[in-house]
Amino acid sequence: MKKSRERFYNKEREFVYKFKVGSECLELRVPLQFPVQENASHLHGRLMQLHGLPCFIENDLKEALSQFIEEEALRDYDVDAEASLEAVKSGEVDLHQLASAWAKAYAESTLEHARPEEPSWDEDFADVYHDLIHSPASETLLNLEHNYFVSISELIGERDVELKKLRERQGIEMEKVMQELGKSLTDQDVNSLAAQHFESQQDLENKWSNELKQSTAIQKQEYQEWVIKLYQDLKNPNNSSLSEEIKVQPSQFRESVEAVGRIYEEQRKLEESFTIHLGAQLKTMHNLRLLRADMLDFCKHKRNHRSGVKLHRLQTALSLYSTSLCGLVLLVDNRINSYSGIKRDSGNQNGGTDEKSKNTERNYLNILPGEFYITRHSNLSEIHVAFHLCVDDNVKSGNITARDPAIMGLRNILKVCCTHDITTISIPLLLVHDMSEEMTIPWCLRRAELVFKCVKGFMMEMASWDGGISRTVQFLVPQSISEEMFYQLSTMLPQIFRVSSTLTLTSKH
């Protein structure tokens, strides 16, 4: 060791390092914390606080610190070992209990002695359902699901009627109060009544939310028990009542307009499909689709002239417990337990009270823009997973960037898709569900270009997340967008993504 530096450990078990910088003698003294090995990061942290040291001193200091940690850690282990042996010799520790504890620890940490994991109820039910939905009993399963759907739809219809009556009654009360404003009533009276109206709406919404949760929980338990029973009966070939259990009842698969509460008129759907290859060396093929459609059409069951509810539902049910799930991004406000916007399946007719609720302070039930929560579904029309992405009014402006919370939320959603076998994801291209006056053609083109480029970058990242799995990404635009605007977006997409072109081979004669 050069004379310009010296390292040693004093009696207090401190790490001491003396060195010279020019003519100045310096000393680094680090007190020891027990146990040494667990506090190594603290010692290194003290080292990182030094700046401007000569390179050879800095390297020697790191080497000395590493050696110090290793030696002192061994000394700690020796002290602990000697104390344990002394406890056994003195009889403080029962030798048989110690041997049993060591044997148990060895058995639990060694794979050959580990017990096999017991299958969970969810895994068992998934296997049972998968077998039944791919059997002749599939139609019976769908019939029962549809009956549950009709029952819940009736409850939702009753909820909507009751909430509508409440809002109408509150609107009349507020109108009377506004007429007396400045005469016998003050602004404080108006604010007090508005607060009472908001609280009444929240109480009614919570009441219906609890009732729906209770009904769905009962249905879920009944359905699971019936599925298990049907599966067991199928395993018993001598069961004479089996044919009655899986007997198809066409009348149960009716289209109940009253239960659904509204009739959906299907607008002419515009759609363009593309095939692309992304990746630097190992390229992965992906499918892209541009659609003009309502986001909620992927959730609703509706009958049309091409296919019935049952056939549409069957396609989603067949892939329910699989590695090819379908997801959808819904844009929502910051309240998880709210009943507004797209979460109500209709527009907000009483904007005043809803705006008041959006200005509430952040609490544990509120989320920030860019954050999202996930709901899993087994009986929606075309999706299994819904990503509820929180956005604010900033998405309506024309100056958002690639670092906007909504864009980063899309990146995190795609990452979840990679880790949870979601191979088809539908994204609102313009980051809005409805068009408004400020969303001009230049606005739409700028927003679409931003989302296209960002999603392309995220998809290229996906190769490192999942090893390069082929996926389908659907870009959805609102139904109110014009055909001219749709085809402009359709022209932009292949310019940003590298669309695969077909090669025609001809033989020479």
Side-chain angles (χ1 to χ4, degrees), residues 385-447:
V385 179
F387 297 92
H388 303 260
L389 176 61
C390 176
V391 296
D392 53 17
D393 290 338
N394 188 49
V395 296
K396 297 181 180 179
S397 66
N399 56 355
I400 71 170
T401 65
R403 304 298 299 177
D404 188 83
I407 298 292
M408 299 310 299
L410 288 180
R411 178 184 181 273
N412 294 330
I413 287 174
L414 289 176
K415 193 167 186 179
V416 172
C417 292
C418 291
T419 56
H420 291 80
D421 298 323
I422 301 173
T423 57
T424 300
I425 182 69
S426 300
I427 299 173
L429 175 60
L430 303 180
L431 299 181
V432 293
H433 292 312
D434 299 298
M435 302 297 293
S436 56
E437 293 181 356
E438 68 268 18
M439 299 173 188
T440 60
I441 292 179
W443 185 95
C444 293
L445 293 176
R446 288 195 304 269
R447 176 61 55 84

Side-chain angles (χ1 to χ4, degrees), residues 96-160:
H96 296 288
Q97 291 182 353
L98 182 62
S100 299
W102 273 102
K104 180 181 178 182
Y106 177 79
E108 292 178 350
S109 60
T110 307
L111 182 61
E112 60 180 325
H113 295 285
R115 295 181 179 180
E117 294 184 2
E118 297 181 359
S120 65
W121 159 257
D122 291 336
E123 292 176 349
D124 289 341
F125 183 80
D127 295 337
V128 169
Y129 182 89
H130 186 79
D131 289 344
L132 290 180
I133 202 65
H134 290 81
S135 73
S138 61
E139 195 164 3
T140 308
L141 293 179
L142 298 183
N143 285 340
L144 183 57
E145 288 185 14
H146 184 72
N147 290 338
Y148 288 148
F149 162 73
V150 171
S151 175
I152 294 297
S153 297
E154 290 174 350
L155 280 179
I156 293 176
E158 294 175 9
R159 177 197 67 183
D160 293 344

